[in-house]
């Protein structure tokens, strides 16, 4: 297919069928235009969409591509921000520009080093019994219902409970935290914002800023072991960490940590319902669960795309990429690239999928990958063990209008035929 015949690619404006299953669309571009260039309006940067595994790896690991649009454009004045959020939404911009994912070294290195101590394998191992109890309590609440929304009843609250435990936040605040995270997400992804989307995200940002500033104040001088106290203690002992930085980090962990696990679990259940033989195998051989999580993460990752900016002139897929260009790496397409994964559209839980890009790559490799894997393994195992009819009956699914944080907003299972 000649490149000229391909329509302009965009992360927004997809129909419902394609957004629930974007992989045939990716395949057309990967085969015909593995790097697809789109022009912007007058004075704006061009965007390069990258579809192949090797090119995505290069974008994620090459220091010539970074997260700060200001560095790429050379405009580092005080009136500009590294995130594409309108200047009038000050609280939202302040929170998001302090997210680890939008930082470059040295700030990124310093903050990540602080956080790594609370996301280490040993810490996560110690958390696993508590994570298991949280998952079991949620599944028990689903029992006795003729139908249940797996997103609302399990996949969404589960990671919020876990990250709230890690941050040391009160249990009674957790439903409110989830609602605020969803409102803020409207402005940080490709989700259709509709009327008032930014306003809702700005209001949530103000509430979050007020809430976490109070929590920071309470923890000053404290000796608690939770992550929020660790950040406050680091600031008080000389780390280059502002209150805005602490607030932004807490909100980032809350939003990124809940959305990805929620989407993974909902889509994993859909994939297993479509492959009942694999669901049966997992039920009978629990030791396969870690491998299955890796393959499910490759097969249909919860984050489909990430954005970088060209800090220097570069070359990708036969294109000259000028400094200042926007570069979008399609993780979902890279994970289905047959040049890296044989029979990529086949769900094979025995595949060695350890080099998938579901958690990213490079300096921005997912900080919480070890915790996310534990949540995914425990959550999936608890659903398989606790809901005998997980693979039976009908279901209704509605996907978010979002091709970055990709997954259902509702997954209603018919449990009426359970014994």
């Amino acid at each position: 297919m000649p490149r000229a015949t391909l329509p302009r690619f965009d992360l927004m404006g997809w129909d419902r069928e394609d957004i629930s299953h974007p992989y045939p669309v990716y395949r057309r571009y990967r085969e015909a235009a593995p790097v697809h260039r789109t022009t912007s309006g007058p004075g704006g940067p061009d965007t390069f969409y990258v579809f192949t595994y090797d090119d995505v790896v290069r974008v994620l690991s090459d220091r010539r591509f970074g997260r700060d649009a200001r560095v790429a454009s050379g405009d580092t004045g005080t009136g500009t921000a590294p995130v594409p959020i309108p200047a009038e939404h000050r609280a939202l911009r302040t929170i998001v520009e302090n997210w680890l994912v939008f930082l470059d070294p040295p700030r990124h290195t310093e903050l990540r080093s602080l956080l790594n101590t609370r996301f280490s394998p040993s810490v996560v191992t110690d958390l696993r019994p508590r994570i298991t109890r949280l998952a079991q309590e949620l599944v028990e609440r689903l029992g006795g219902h003729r139908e249940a929304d797996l997103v609302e009843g399990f996949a969404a609250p589960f990671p919020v409970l876990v990250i709230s435990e890690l941050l040391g936040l009160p249990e009674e605040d957790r439903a409110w935290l989830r609602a605020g995270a969803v409102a803020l997400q409207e402005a940080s992804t490709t989700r259709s914002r509709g009327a008032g989307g930014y306003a809702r995200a700005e209001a949530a940002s103000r509430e979050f800023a007020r809430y976490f500033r109070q929590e920071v104040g309470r923890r000053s001088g404290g000796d608690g072991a939770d992550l929020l106290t660790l950040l406050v203690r680091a600031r008080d002992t000389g780390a280059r960490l502002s209150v805005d930085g602490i607030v932004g980090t807490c909100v980032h962990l809350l939003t990124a940590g809940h959305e990805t696990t929620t989407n993974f679990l909902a889509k994993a259940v859909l994939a297993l319902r479509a492959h009942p033989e694999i669901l049966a195998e997992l039920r009978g051989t629990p030791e396969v669960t870690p491998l299955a999580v890796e393959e499910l993460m490759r097969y249909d990752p919860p984050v489909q795309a990430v954005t970088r900016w060209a800090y220097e002139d570069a070359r990708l897929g036969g294109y000259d990429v000028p400094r200042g260009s926007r570069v979008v790496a399609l993780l979902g397409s890279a994970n289905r690239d047959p040049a890296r994964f044989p029979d990529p559209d086949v769900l094979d839980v025995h595949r060695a999928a350890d080099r998938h890009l579901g958690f990213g790559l490079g300096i921005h490799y997912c900080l919480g990958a070890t915790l996310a894997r534990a949540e995914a393994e425990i959550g999936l195992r608890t659903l398989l063990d606790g809901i005998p009819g997980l693979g039976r009956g009908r279901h209704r699914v509605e996907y978010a209008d979002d091709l970055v944080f990709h997954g259902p907003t509702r997954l209603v299972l018919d449990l009426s035929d359970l014994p």
Side-chain angles (χ1 to χ4, degrees), residues 53 298 334-344 351 353 355-356:
Y53 182 90
R298 179 204 69 84
N335 278 347
R336 296 286 188 108
D337 188 345
R340 175 63 187 87
F341 302 102
D343 298 319
R351 183 196 302 271
R355 292 187 65 186
H356 68 76

Side-chain angles (χ1 to χ4, degrees), residues 258-278:
H258 99 266
E259 191 87 359
T260 50
T261 299
T262 296
N263 290 340
F264 170 83
L265 288 170
K267 295 201 293 181
V269 168
L270 284 172
L272 293 178
R273 286 173 63 87
H275 298 82
E277 72 287 355
I278 297 177

Side-chain angles (χ1 to χ4, degrees), residues 26-204:
Y26 294 160
R27 183 173 59 247
R28 291 199 296 272
Y29 283 86
R30 192 172 57 240
E31 292 173 353
V35 175
H36 180 77
R37 182 176 189 169
T38 64
T39 57
S40 64
D46 287 352
T47 298
F48 294 81
Y49 293 96
V50 182
F51 292 90
T52 67
Y53 182 90
D54 286 344
D55 283 336
V56 168
V57 165
R58 184 179 173 197
V59 169
L60 298 183
S61 57
D62 192 326
R63 294 297 182 92
R64 289 179 296 177
F65 301 100
R67 292 295 279 149
D68 195 330
R70 298 173 302 183
V71 174
S73 67
D75 182 6
T76 56
T78 57
T80 60
V83 291
I85 292 173
E88 62 267 25
H89 300 293
R90 294 182 182 179
L92 176 62
R93 180 187 274 200
T94 299
I95 280 180
V96 174
E97 70 183 6
N98 279 288
W99 286 4
L100 184 71
V101 73
F102 288 117
L103 301 180
D104 284 326
R107 282 189 68 200
H108 176 274
T109 307
E110 293 167 354
L111 180 55
R112 189 174 179 112
S113 296
L114 274 175
L115 295 172
N116 272 338
T117 61
R118 300 304 299 165
F119 288 93
S120 67
S122 61
V123 169
V124 172
T125 296
D126 290 342
L127 279 173
R128 288 182 79 99
R130 179 58 180 151
I131 296 173
T132 300
R133 286 195 297 273
L134 291 171
Q136 290 171 341
E137 289 168 5
L138 288 171
V139 167
E140 287 171 6
R141 293 175 196 169
L142 295 178
H145 294 281
R146 293 182 59 83
E147 66 175 25
D149 183 345
L150 198 70
V151 174
E152 181 182 1
F154 184 84
F158 176 49
V160 173
L161 292 171
V162 173
I163 198 65
S164 297
E165 289 263 335
L166 200 64
L167 288 168
L169 302 177
E171 185 172 351
E172 60 268 22
D173 294 344
R174 292 172 188 178
W176 174 82
L177 290 165
R178 156 73 180 164
V182 170
L184 192 143
Q185 207 73 36
E186 290 191 51
S188 61
T189 73
T190 59
R191 191 165 299 172
S192 177
R193 299 182 182 103
Y198 269 128
R200 288 190 294 273
E202 173 72 6

Side-chain angles (χ1 to χ4, degrees), residues 209-232:
R210 186 179 303 113
Y211 176 85
F212 281 108
R213 282 178 175 275
Q214 290 174 350
E215 292 296 320
V216 168
R218 291 191 185 103
R219 285 164 169 77
S220 187
D223 58 357
D226 60 86
L227 178 54
L228 183 47
T229 300
L230 174 74
L231 292 171
V232 173

